[in-house]
Structures are given as structure tokens and as C-alpha cells.
Amino acid sequence: MVRKPARSVFERLTPPERLRVGPLREGAFHSRLHDPRTASWLGLALGISFTICFVTGLLSHFIQYPPQWFIWPSRPAGVYRVSQGLHIATGLVSIPLLLAKLWVVFPHFWTWPPVRSFVHLMERISLLPLVGGSLFLLFTGLANIGLWYPWRFFFPAGHYSASWITIGALIVHIGAKATITRMSLRREPPEVRRSPESRGRRRFLALIGGVGGMVTLTTVGQTFSPLNPLALLAPRRPDIGPQGFPVNKTAKGAGVTSLAQRDSYRLTVEGAVTNELSLSLADLQALPQRTATLPIACVEGWSASETWEGVPVPHLLSMAGAAEDASVTVESIQPMGLYKDSELNRVHAHDEDTLIALKVNGETLHIDHGYPARLIGPNRPGVMQTKWVGKLTVH
Amino acid sequence: MESPINKRLFWILAVVGGAVMAFGVWGLFRDAARTHPDQWVRWFVGAALVHDFLVAPLVFVVAALTRRLLSERSRGIVNGALIATAVLSAMAYPFLRGFGDNPDNASILPNNYALNLSLIVGLLWLVVAVTLIARSRTKPGRDERQT
């Protein structure tokens, strides 16, 4: 007597065949590109681009909200510029990669039976945070570089939470797909390579790569100035703005237009010092000046290199008698705003090129660039290059 | 067909990835004043739903149309140009609409995005048109007859 093998829970839960309609039908999807090899190549590319985005994004987060153990160096001066430029560029290039990947694997969304086993169920559940998270990150990131906020949550906080959830889901997905990916990416024998399937796949992947290239070419000039002439679709141009470079927050937006132009303006140095300072603009101009060519690199991915002139922060610290390992809070005179102050860790505070800048490219700072005085230092995000500086508090 | 899966690796990475996701969810709620979890979830789940039930079906409808209307020979290049047009337009859309524009700040969205996008896409379709015309004057190649 032959016993039937016991049916698993999932087999018994399979819906009746008559419900298998529309995209659930066998052969509902025609294209030969819905295959594991195409999915694996795109998956591999996305795995790399998402990892770059995650690491550079986390770095930017740590620089702005440093944990105890994290001391961000001030040298080389352009690391942040490259890392954040890479974050935005890889995010943008992920748009065609992700859309292509989702299209290739779309038939799996309508797979029959819907759930085959516990592992299959787990894998499918992990796709909601993976797909939802990936689309969320790319959409919110794209909107953010265009300064568009059609939601109530604070963009960096929402984007940050989503990034952990998405990367977690990606790790689960890698566990589920590692074997099939490795099998599908095996080198094809020559006769397979000549087949229409293989040629079609290569053409499709080349197309998606080409679209990614177009996305990059038309945007990356916002941070990589040699390609600026091609940056036709970039949300910023490194050469457009007051004094020839962009501005995020204007004086009007920060509500400092009149405050910044008063004669009573003073820069004070206080806190853990032996000699508190209160300096007028004329006092600052009378101090030894230093010139440094430094990038201003925004978290939104644009950057521009300018020549700044002003008083080195270490000079002010030694005038005030601050300790050798002092760190500093730099505060703007702007009445409010999320980014009205920033921290100089002990490395940044003692870098000779960390300036209270009074001039840029030989001209007095434009008020939108922080007149009368702004912080500019090497290797810092733009939001931490505080403008309209009124107070240095030494710790 | 059941796809091959290394169950041991799957469970190890499921635990690791699950922990990372849990950390993300914990952060989301710990920072609720700034993340507005209720609205955040709507965008998160909404993104997947909009893709799966709106964007993707639309792509398949367009693909079905090109399958019906175009010859095997011209379909590939037209589909390719449609994909490039769709991706570039989607990327440029928020800039083109000027959602983030600020009258005080001319450095935000400084380009003429409608014009630039039209130029790029126009050039692309010009190349497609020239290619299709050039192809129509030559005999079908060997591999094209096969497919």
C-alpha cells in the first residue's frame, strides 16, 4: 500500500485553482527578461549601490550627530564632499536600477501558489520593507534634493529610520537569494551566450546601465564641476548663486537680514576660557587673516570649492586662553532654525583652516552666505558651516 | 518551481536582518516627534502599493501596446527609449514642477528643467527615429530573423 505523503500546512492553504486569474495565470508574463540571471545582475548592482548609500548616509549622520567614540577628522578636506556627492549620485542611479529590478521580478509578486513554505512566507513578508523602503528612500531623497517636502515628518529622521529598515530587509533578502544568485551568475557556455535570450538580456542590462549613465551625466555636475555644463537636470549648479555658488538658507529665510547688518554686531568667545572676547567686525578685520580654498558641501549633494578669508578659529581660541583640546559650539545670531548652531570637535576647532570667514573669493561675504562672519572649515557638511556667527562657546 | 535556498544562511541572515530592521523600527518610534510614524508608514507602505498596483501595471499596459503596434525589429529600441524617457522624466519631475522653489533663493532649481528635459528626450527620440529609418533601408539581419 502506498501512502500519500502528508500535505504541509501551506499546501492545504493553497487557494482553489479557479481563483488563479489575471496576472496569477500560468504564462501571464511573456518577456524572457523575467529570469533569475537578469534579476541577479540588477540585484548585484543594487546591492552595491544601496550599500554605498547606506554607508555614506550613516557617515553623514555620525558627523552631524556624533556618538561618543566618533571623532570626524578635518583632513583630507574633501572627504565629506566626495562621500556625500557619492550618496546622492548612487541614490539617483539606483532609480533606474530599482525600477528595472522590480519589473524583472514582478511575476513573482503573482506567483502561484502564493505561499509555498514557511521560508517562502518569511521571504515574501520581508519584501514589503525591502520594496517599500527602497522606494521610500529613493523618492524622499529625490524630493529632498529638490527641497520639496510633501509630508509632515522631518526628512532626515524619516529617511534615517527607513534606511535601517531597508538595509535590514536587504540582509534578509540576500539570505533568501544568495544561492539562486550565485547559480544564475555562473559564466554562460559560448552556445548559450549566442542565444537570443542571452543577447536580449545583455541588451536590456546595457540599456538600464545606459539610462543610469544618463541620470548621472545630467546631474553629477552639481558636485563634480568638470561635468557642470552637462548638469541639465541637476537641482543645483555649483556656479549659480550669490557670489557664484549656491545658498541653502537665505538671510531672509533665517530672519537675520537686519540683525546681521547692525553696527552692534559682536562675535563673542565664552565658556571655558580665561579671557572672554567680544569682537566687532572691525576688530575681526584687524586680526591676522588666513586664506583657504575649501569646499562647501551640502548634504543635498551639491558642492563648490571657494577661496575663503578670515580669522582662524584656533587663533581666537588661543586669544581667549582656551585649552589645547577644547571643542566649540558655534552659534548663529539667527533667531531660530534647526541649524542655528554647530559643533567643532577638538580636531576641527584646532585646524588652522577652520575660519571665521569674512570674505569669499576676495569679496565681503554676501548676506546670504553669512555676512558679517561665517564658519567655514575643512571636511564638514554645509549645515555645519554656521552662517551669521555671533558666539563661540568653548567646552 | 521552488528556488534553491540555503536554509542555514537564510535563517542566519534573517535573524541579523530582522535585528537591523527592529533597530530601525525602534528608532522610528523613539524619534516619533520628528518621524511622525503614522504618516511615515503611509508613505512607506504607500510607495510599495503605488508601485505594485499602479506604476508596474501601467508599464505592462504600455509594453502590451508596443507589442501589438510595433514590429519585432523596432520594438526593442522604442521600448528602450520609452524606459529612458520615463526614468529621466520621473527624476526631473519634482524639479520641473518647481515644488521646492523659493522666490528669495535663485540658486534653488536654477535650470529650465522643462526645456532641458525636452532637449535630452528630443535628442534621444531623434536618434531612435534615425536608427529606425536606417534599419528600414537594410535587410533584416540574421539574428533578427531568428527572434
Side-chain angles (χ1 to χ4, degrees), chain B residues 59-125:
Chain B
V59 172
F60 283 94
V61 167
V62 174
L65 282 178
T66 60
R67 186 181 280 266
R68 178 163 299 183
L69 298 176
L70 300 173
S71 70
E72 177 84 44
R73 286 188 91 199
S74 52
R75 203 161 65 220
I77 185 166
V78 171
N79 280 347
L82 283 171
I83 291 171
T85 304
V87 168
L88 290 173
S89 307
M91 181 187 76
Y93 182 74
F95 312 153
L96 190 148
R97 291 290 307 276
F99 294 124
D101 263 332
N102 176 348
D104 300 331
N105 189 346
S107 75
I108 292 174
L109 304 176
N111 291 336
N112 185 342
Y113 296 95
L115 176 70
N116 291 357
L117 181 66
S118 317
L119 279 175
I120 295 167
V121 168
L123 193 68
L124 185 73
W125 284 97

Side-chain angles (χ1 to χ4, degrees), chain A residues 81-335:
Chain A
R81 164 190 221 175
V82 172
S83 132
Q84 196 59 18
L86 204 58
H87 182 79
I88 304 299
T90 35
L92 287 173
V93 91
S94 299
I95 296 174
L97 292 177
L98 180 66
L99 293 174
K101 174 73 157 70
L102 291 177
W103 177 79
V104 169
V105 299
F106 196 62
H108 290 295
F109 186 73
W110 303 99
T111 188
W112 192 271
V115 178
R116 285 187 298 263
S117 64
F118 187 62
V119 167
H120 187 223
L121 175 69
M122 293 292 291
E123 185 221 314
R124 294 208 73 181
I125 289 175
S126 77
L127 289 178
L128 174 63
L130 184 62
V131 175
S134 303
L135 291 165
F136 178 99
L137 288 170
L138 296 187
F139 180 76
T140 57
L142 177 70
N144 175 60
I145 63 171
L147 303 178
W148 175 38
Y149 304 101
W151 47 71
R152 268 203 320 276
F153 54 83
F154 177 51
F155 165 75
H159 199 72
Y160 180 71
S161 290
S163 72
W164 281 105
I165 293 168
T166 311
I167 279 294
L170 180 59
I171 293 171
V172 178
H173 191 64
I174 290 170
K177 298 297 180 188
T179 311
I180 180 110
T181 302
R182 210 169 41 233
M183 285 168 58
S184 338
L185 291 184
R186 274 190 204 134
R187 183 179 289 278
E188 291 177 314
E191 66 277 12
V192 176
R193 262 186 86 73
R194 283 194 295 270
S195 67
E197 284 84 359
S198 181
R199 287 177 187 218
R201 183 188 305 116
R202 283 200 299 280
R203 268 201 293 268
F204 177 71
L205 291 174
L207 168 77
I208 299 306
V211 175
M214 288 173 78
V215 164
T216 303
L217 273 182
T218 54
T219 53
V220 80
Q222 66 172 338
T223 183
F224 184 62
S225 50
L227 289 179
N228 181 28
L230 292 176
L232 296 174
L233 301 179
R236 297 297 195 119
R237 302 297 285 261
D239 57 345
I240 295 183
Q243 296 176 317
F245 62 102
V247 163
N248 244 24
K249 193 84 170 170
T250 59
K252 192 175 167 199
V256 293
T257 313
S258 73
L259 279 173
Q261 297 183 92
R262 287 188 192 158
D263 290 335
S264 58
Y265 167 82
R266 292 291 181 277
L267 171 69
T268 62
V269 182
E270 50 197 78
V273 293
T274 53
N275 177 26
E276 285 195 358
L277 306 177
S278 174
L279 305 163
S280 68
L281 180 56
D283 295 334
L284 284 167
Q285 285 161 340
L287 290 172
Q289 307 287 304
R290 185 179 168 90
T291 302
T293 300
L294 295 172
I296 178 123
C298 185
V299 284
E300 274 115 44
W302 60 265
S303 70
S305 202
E306 311 297 335
T307 302
W308 310 86
E309 196 183 323
V311 185
V313 169
H315 184 75
L316 292 170
L317 293 182
S318 70
M319 275 173 71
E324 293 277 311
D325 62 346
S327 59
V328 178
T329 303
V330 181
E331 213 176 306
S332 171
I333 57 171
Q334 72 189 84

